[in-house]
Amino acid sequence: GENVEQHPSTLSVQEGDSAVIKCTYSDSASNYFPWYKQELGKGPQLIIDIRSNVGEKKDQRIAVTLNKTAKHFSLHITETQPEDSAVYFCAASKGGSYIPTFGRGTSLIVHP
Amino acid sequence: GAGVSQSPSNKVTEKGKDVELRCDPISGHTALYWYRQRLGQGLEFLIYFQGNSAPDKSGLPSDRFSAERTGESVSTLTIQRTQQEDSAVYLCASSHSGTGRNEQYFGPGTRLTVT
């Protein structure tokens, strides 16, 4: 089955810096890669996703890149703000199987 | 519109008791998922319902765990003879997977504590 590795497990940055979280996947058939943000005491919320027919997608301060050959994808947050502090999860899934495999999460701490 | 709702938000139970957790998905979402999240850990898949198809139960950790879904609406996750290792947040999510869009929308979770 699919295996998703996520790094780092903890990331601490100063407000205004950029943050990058990386994930790798094992199943080359995976074609959908969402990123979720989970704030304390809440369920995960989809913040951005990318499908295998594109290499990059951007939404304001967040962007995701996908390298299908290397089987890795990354989340980039620019101009970080304290409210970006949360746990971020990556996931991978493929057509015909709608059960995504999640990474173990990255705890992002943005210091004011 | 309304999102995914779960109840109760918190549940404390004694070891050996049965518990039932409820999930109300977003109206029109054909797919429903249950996950377990232990403290500081990732999301552990438990079970997946898609329309009227047989559920995918491959993630259920033991036969003490079961889940039901009525049509494309509410789902209940039942844990029998609870153990302390069952303590976790149980998350429910729904999606439009029937249309090929598989973004998941999560509920706030039920925090289960087994004493």
Side-chain angles (χ1 to χ4, degrees):
Chain A
E2 175 68 277
N3 181 47
V4 176
E5 299 285 341
Q6 182 172 348
H7 300 280
S9 57
T10 305
L11 179 59
S12 183
V13 300
Q14 289 295 128
E15 183 177 0
D17 289 350
S18 294
V20 181
I21 302 170
K22 299 181 179 181
C23 289
T24 61
Y25 61 99
S26 60
D27 190 340
S28 58
S30 289
N31 57 10
Y32 175 64
F33 308 92
W35 285 89
Y36 291 86
K37 176 183 181 182
Q38 186 176 28
E39 296 177 334
L40 196 62
K42 298 183 179 179
Q45 181 180 13
L46 180 72
I47 55 171
I48 195 167
D49 56 14
I50 192 167
R51 299 182 190 274
S52 59
N53 58 343
V54 298
E56 184 173 359
K57 183 176 178 181
K58 190 173 182 179
D59 182 3
Q60 299 183 344
R61 296 187 297 107
I62 60 173
V64 58
T65 58
L66 171 65
N67 183 326
K68 288 176 57 181
T69 302
K71 295 203 285 291
H72 67 69
F73 55 112
S74 301
L75 177 71
H76 303 253
I77 306 174
T78 59
E79 301 171 26
T80 53
Q81 301 168 3
E83 52 265 37
D84 294 330
S85 297
V87 178
Y88 292 80
F89 292 96
C90 64
S93 65
K94 56 187 177 183
S97 170
Y98 293 103
I99 302 171
T101 300
F102 285 83
R104 294 176 63 85
T106 295
S107 178
L108 173 64
I109 303 166
V110 181
H111 298 280
Chain B
V4 177
S5 61
Q6 292 186 246
S7 62
S9 55
N10 282 284
K11 176 72 176 177
V12 180
T13 189
E14 292 180 352
K15 177 181 174 181
K17 300 284 189 182
D18 298 352
V19 295
E20 191 172 276
L21 313 180
R22 178 186 170 107
C23 171
D24 286 89
I26 293 173
S27 178
H29 280 192
T30 57
L32 186 146
Y33 309 75
W34 283 98
Y35 294 90
R36 178 169 68 181
Q37 186 176 32
R38 291 196 165 109
L39 186 64
Q41 300 297 313
L43 303 176
E44 178 186 0
F45 166 74
L46 296 177
I47 188 168
Y48 162 62
F49 295 90
Q50 170 56 50
N52 294 317
S53 301
D56 183 331
K57 305 179 181 180
S58 60
L60 294 178
S62 78
D63 58 8
R64 296 187 296 105
F65 288 72
S66 63
E68 294 183 348
R69 187 182 186 192
T70 307
E72 294 185 353
S73 60
V74 65
S75 175
T76 55
L77 175 70
T78 301
I79 308 174
Q80 296 178 310
R81 305 181 302 282
T82 51
Q83 303 295 313
Q84 288 186 331
E85 61 262 29
D86 298 334
S87 296
V89 174
Y90 289 83
L91 292 162
C92 173
S94 68
S95 74
H96 272 293
S97 66
T99 65
R101 297 181 57 190
N102 45 6
E103 298 94 330
Q104 294 186 316
Y105 296 83
F106 283 84
T110 293
R111 181 175 297 280
L112 175 65
T113 303
V114 181
T115 61

